Amino acid sequence: MIQKNNRLVLSGLVTKTPIKKMSPSGISHCQFYLEHVSEQFEAGFPRQAWCTLPVIVSGQQDLSYSIKKGSKVLVSGFISTHTKRDKTSQLVLHADQIKLLGE
């Protein structure tokens, strides 16, 4: 059997004011954009790594409501493709663990 892993851990800065909603079934959802910048090593050489990734947090109302634009966070979860209204797709991180980092 082939093992199917899908786990991503990423730290960064929340770049836009999070959108917070409650579903009709009473589940809280929080969506924000996370910008990550770091220096990584590849083939023995340093290189700049940068990305902006949409993040969705569901069911963690207490923590997700403390996330604000400018917050530094460490998130982990799985990635999935979402199709946008214009029929283009993008990767989204569905976070199940979030840690607010010091300023």
Side-chain angles (χ1 to χ4, degrees):
M1 184 170 108
I2 297 173
Q3 188 173 0
K4 298 176 182 176
N5 293 318
N6 183 347
R7 193 82 188 149
L8 180 66
V9 178
L10 195 65
S11 63
L13 185 69
V14 176
T15 60
K16 294 183 180 180
T17 301
I19 298 169
K20 299 166 185 173
K21 297 179 181 178
M22 188 71 70
S23 74
S25 60
I27 298 172
S28 64
H29 299 280
C30 177
Q31 180 177 356
F32 58 91
Y33 285 86
L34 184 68
E35 180 180 75
H36 170 86
V37 178
S38 65
E39 182 177 82
Q40 302 295 318
F41 284 86
E42 183 175 45
F45 295 96
R47 68 174 294 167
Q48 194 72 14
W50 174 85
C51 68
T52 298
L53 192 64
V55 177
I56 295 176
V57 183
S58 298
Q60 297 185 34
Q61 185 172 354
D62 54 338
L63 185 54
S64 65
Y65 276 86
S66 60
I67 298 170
K68 298 174 178 33
K69 180 180 177 181
S71 295
K72 293 179 184 176
V73 296
L74 174 67
V75 298
S76 61
F78 66 92
I79 57 173
S80 184
T81 300
H82 283 214
T83 303
K84 301 189 313 186
R85 290 182 185 168
D86 65 2
K87 305 296 184 209
T88 61
S89 61
Q90 72 179 139
L91 286 179
V92 175
L93 172 57
H94 291 261
D96 55 27
Q97 295 180 354
I98 302 174
K99 181 179 179 184
L100 289 170
L101 301 174
E103 299 302 317

